[in-house]
Amino acid sequence: MEKLRIHLVLTLRILILCIFVFPYANTKGQNVFKDVTDSAGIDHKYKVYEGTFGGGATVFDLNNDGYEDVFITGGMNSDALYLNLGNGKFKDIYASSGLGKSNLYVTQGAASADVNRDGFRDLFITTITTTDGSNKIPRAENLLFLNNGDSTFRDATKDYGLDDLNSFSTGISFGDINADGFPDVFIGNYFQEFKGKLGIIKDATIVSANQTAKSYLLLNKNGEKFEDVYESYGLGHKGFGFGGVFTDFDNDQDQDLLVNQDFGYKAVPNFLYENEYPWPSFRDASAETGMDLTINAMGSAVGDYNGDGWMDYYVTNIKFNWLMENQGKGKPFVDRAKELGTYNLAISWGANFADFDHDMDLDLFVSNGDLNPNCTPMGNFYFENQENKFVERGRELEVNDYGIGRGSVLFDMDNDGDQDLLVVNQIPILDYPIESATKLFRNDISNGNWLKVALKGMSSETSGIGSRVTVIANSKKLIREIDGGGSSHLSQNSVISHFGLGNSTKVDSIIVDWTGGNRQILLNQNVNQSLTITETEQSSFKWYVAIFISIVALMARYILVKRKKPL
């Protein structure tokens, strides 16, 4: 009887949606996002282990053919590796890719970077337990696969010292914290131990468990192995971690770290860590910046939405999301969600800033989905930026899918110059009145000129992860950070920077600030093109100055420690 009641309630809700909502979609006949899931060959559903957790994707060009491919975690289902065929279609090559070991694990999130600097992007996958249920306490090793360069991968988990790090892991992010060109890793861990069923987690269960976990900060040692430096770098916190994102919040050209924590209001809040490079440590700047959010932080989007030169952060949450505006160095962030129009009720997970319509400002997509198995249908949000205020147009633009959304990623699937969107959806545990499967939306709303910039790092990470690209056109300054993962929810967007340019006919300048301090400037560039910028070597003078500053900083730190003075 109870199952019948639930089914009738859900059916009634969706009928109401169909009667009162769907008839008004696209009534003006404007261009919309086109659901091309079936025609593109995407056939993926994320199956949860007991409930709630998982569903991420990473975008990367696995074979360097100029078309970006997608890896999607499957949870209890098989993962998928979709090769972009370049004609609007994808082919799942997982079975022949050498990634088969991941079928033994309940996979969660993923990110990609060139771990060993051989010119091919490698793949890192987080897990929570094994699929055979043999682990009494849900935890397992995370997986590293090195790219062989021929559309296959080899398992390098043990070779890189990762097989002893067993955990209940969620989000993963690559970033070059010491600017040596080898990408380092932050992994968010959720439970140290948990007994019971994940599908019935609630406040009382979480708090009484008292099993918050430390996360991992893995330093890449010359592309040969990883070393966990979590505590030695000053990241001693525990929490119900949903990962983090490397980002330069203070504009000093190094990789800071924003950490998302679930149940922050009853357990451990969010963290914002300032990178003290060249000293090997992070400083907790959470309280002074107002970023110690006591919320259920699921994920975050990074972008300078108001064009003031400082990165802002949209943090997803249960009920109401937060839009944290950066006021500049030494000043606290301010939540602008209510006044700017993004304070909508939902359970949100993934989020992505992008100039979808090419009008030279950042719009915002938000992936929504109920806790599984609760599974009340809730559509995704699309917030259009209108002079630095946001208007929700998800239904109107037909991107308000009612699947059980989790991670979401941006990339230009067809190389036509605009940002397309893939959303990972979970299979519901209980009866659900709508199909819930991963969706691919082609962008048909863009109207204006554009520019795409790919980076080729020589001293920096080979795709420029952690670097920043600034475009100046039509008297506007547009900034993008190269995404290393952990953005959205358990996911990683394209590393190719995309800029909508409106009616601009020329790009006045492109400025690349490489991680570590190197800067390049290109002038007078054409619009509607894809550029690849190769890093130039720093001058010897700059190099010697950087070494001198590093030595002075290390000596000063050593003297202070010896004198036992607070830092």
Side-chain angles (χ1 to χ4, degrees):
M1 287 297 293
E2 180 63 18
K3 290 187 67 176
L4 178 60
R5 186 190 68 80
I6 293 172
H7 180 73
L8 289 173
V9 169
L10 289 175
T11 302
L12 180 60
R13 284 175 176 170
I14 198 59
L15 283 173
I16 292 172
L17 287 171
C18 291
I19 293 170
F20 293 103
V21 175
F22 296 142
Y24 296 97
N26 197 24
T27 56
K28 298 180 181 180
Q30 79 280 341
N31 291 338
V32 298
F33 283 88
K34 176 70 173 177
D35 182 351
V36 296
T37 308
D38 294 338
S39 62
I42 303 295
D43 182 14
H44 175 271
K45 295 180 180 181
Y46 186 93
K47 184 178 181 181
V48 298
Y49 170 77
E50 295 184 351
T52 296
F53 289 92
T58 181
V59 175
F60 68 122
D61 185 356
L62 69 91
N63 56 0
N64 292 348
D65 68 348
Y67 287 91
E68 291 187 290
D69 314 296
V70 184
F71 173 84
I72 315 174
T73 61
M76 292 289 288
N77 278 346
S78 176
D79 298 332
L81 180 63
Y82 283 105
L83 184 69
N84 191 333
L85 302 180
N87 58 358
K89 297 184 181 299
F90 292 80
K91 179 182 179 182
D92 188 359
I93 62 169
Y94 177 85
S96 62
S97 67
L99 299 175
K101 180 180 176 180
S102 73
N103 272 335
L104 304 176
Y105 298 85
V106 182
T107 52
Q108 293 289 290
S112 174
D114 187 359
V115 169
N116 55 2
R117 295 186 61 84
D118 66 350
F120 291 93
R121 299 268 297 277
D122 309 303
L123 182 62
F124 211 127
I125 307 169
T126 57
T127 74
I128 59 174
T129 190
T130 54
T131 51
D132 63 7
S134 60
N135 291 2
K136 293 183 179 180
I137 300 174
R139 65 173 78 140
E141 63 183 1
N142 296 303
L143 307 174
L144 173 65
F145 293 94
L146 295 184
N147 193 331
N148 293 322
D150 59 358
S151 298
T152 68
F153 296 78
R154 71 174 181 87
D155 176 23
T157 305
K158 185 174 182 180
D159 294 345
Y160 277 70
L162 303 171
D163 55 320
D164 290 331
L165 299 178
N166 287 276
S167 52
F168 188 110
S169 297
T170 53
I172 173 176
S173 180
F174 279 106
D176 189 359
I177 62 175
N178 56 359
D180 66 350
F182 291 98
D184 311 301
V185 176
F186 177 79
I187 298 176
N189 295 326
Y190 199 95
F191 290 124
Q192 177 64 28
E193 180 177 359
F194 181 75
K195 296 178 181 179
K197 296 292 183 181
L198 299 180
I200 57 173
I201 288 176
K202 54 186 178 181
D203 288 17
T205 311
I206 287 287
V207 175
S208 63
N210 196 28
Q211 288 295 336
T212 53
K214 291 183 179 179
S215 295
Y216 299 139
L217 180 65
L218 306 178
L219 193 67
N220 189 331
K221 309 292 284 186
N222 299 315
E224 298 174 351
K225 66 176 181 177
F226 284 104
E227 177 186 349
D228 188 8
V229 295
Y230 188 73
E231 293 188 355
S232 66
Y233 261 73
L235 306 184
H237 74 268
K238 292 183 177 182
F240 297 111
F242 264 131
V245 57
F246 287 106
T247 177
D248 185 8
F249 83 91
D250 53 4
N251 287 359
D252 64 353
Q253 279 189 260
D254 59 27
Q255 295 262 263
D256 308 306
L257 179 62
L258 172 64
V259 179
N260 293 311
Q261 303 270 74
D262 202 0
F263 291 97
Y265 58 97
K266 285 198 173 182
V268 183
N270 274 20
F271 287 88
L272 181 61
Y273 288 104
E274 179 187 355
N275 191 340
E276 296 188 294
Y277 174 81
W279 183 255
S281 68
F282 284 90
R283 185 181 71 85
D284 184 359
S286 312
E288 68 194 59
T289 58
M291 292 295 283
D292 53 342
L293 305 181
T294 55
I295 62 176
N296 295 96
M298 307 300 188
S300 51
V302 180
D304 178 18
Y305 87 89
N306 57 0
D308 66 354
W310 298 90
M311 304 310 290
D312 310 300
Y313 303 95
Y314 186 82
V315 184
T316 57
N317 182 31
I318 292 178
K319 292 185 179 178
F320 297 105
N321 304 324
W322 295 57
L323 177 53
M324 304 303 293
E325 183 180 277
N326 194 335
Q327 304 296 299
K329 193 172 181 65
K331 299 178 182 178
F333 286 74
V334 177
D335 179 22
R336 301 290 193 199
K338 273 188 179 180
E339 63 187 273
L340 297 183
T342 65
Y343 198 68
N344 294 40
L345 178 63
I347 298 176
S348 301
W349 303 82
N352 312 85
F353 278 119
D355 188 357
F356 290 104
D357 52 9
H358 289 178
D359 65 351
M360 301 190 75
D361 58 30
L362 289 178
D363 310 300
L364 177 65
F365 172 82
V366 181
S367 169
N368 296 323
D370 201 354
L371 302 176
N372 198 351
N374 293 354
C375 296
T376 299
M378 52 185 70
N380 301 323
F381 297 144
Y382 177 91
F383 295 105
E384 181 181 312
N385 190 333
Q386 297 182 0
E387 298 181 354
N388 294 334
K389 289 193 176 181
F390 292 90
V391 177
E392 208 290 296
R393 299 184 62 199
R395 290 197 307 271
E396 187 180 350
L397 298 180
E398 299 187 6
V399 75
N400 65 322
D401 176 61
Y402 282 83
I404 306 168
R406 290 299 185 261
S408 52
V409 291
L410 302 170
F411 69 122
D412 186 1
M413 59 167 277
D414 44 11
N415 282 356
D416 65 349
D418 57 27
Q419 293 288 270
D420 306 303
L421 181 64
L422 182 138
V423 184
V424 183
N425 286 334
Q426 295 181 345
I427 300 172
I429 291 179
L430 299 179
D431 291 338
Y432 195 66
I434 312 168
E435 180 196 27
S436 181
T438 294
K439 296 289 185 179
L440 177 62
F441 296 97
R442 189 183 67 213
N443 183 348
D444 290 342
I445 71 168
S446 59
N447 182 23
N449 295 322
W450 54 272
L451 176 71
K452 288 166 55 178
V453 178
L455 299 184
K456 183 177 181 180
M458 304 305 291
S459 299
S460 303
E461 195 276 335
T462 58
S463 295
I465 285 175
S467 300
R468 179 178 288 190
V469 181
T470 302
V471 163
I472 299 176
N474 240 357
S475 301
K476 287 189 175 183
K477 180 186 287 187
L478 312 175
I479 300 174
R480 307 288 187 264
E481 286 186 338
I482 309 301
D483 184 14
S487 51
S488 184
H489 175 72
L490 315 185
S491 299
Q492 179 186 22
N493 298 305
S494 169
V495 296
I496 300 174
S497 295
H498 168 267
F499 301 87
L501 296 175
N503 60 5
S504 303
T505 56
K506 280 287 182 181
V507 173
D508 299 321
S509 60
I510 303 172
I511 304 166
V512 181
D513 288 305
W514 299 89
T515 297
N518 195 12
R519 170 173 281 194
Q520 282 177 252
I521 301 176
L522 282 71
L523 301 176
N524 195 28
Q525 298 294 311
N526 293 327
V527 300
N528 299 334
Q529 66 163 325
S530 297
L531 282 177
T532 298
I533 300 177
T534 301
E535 183 179 15
T536 57
E537 295 297 326
Q538 289 182 334
S539 68
S540 298
F541 175 75
K542 286 184 178 180
W543 179 248
Y544 289 134
V545 168
I547 293 176
F548 175 75
I549 292 173
S550 299
I551 292 173
V552 170
L554 290 170
M555 290 177 64
R557 183 77 175 225
Y558 176 78
I559 292 170
L560 288 173
V561 170
K562 277 293 198 180
R563 292 178 177 178
K564 297 183 179 180
K565 290 185 176 181
L567 300 178

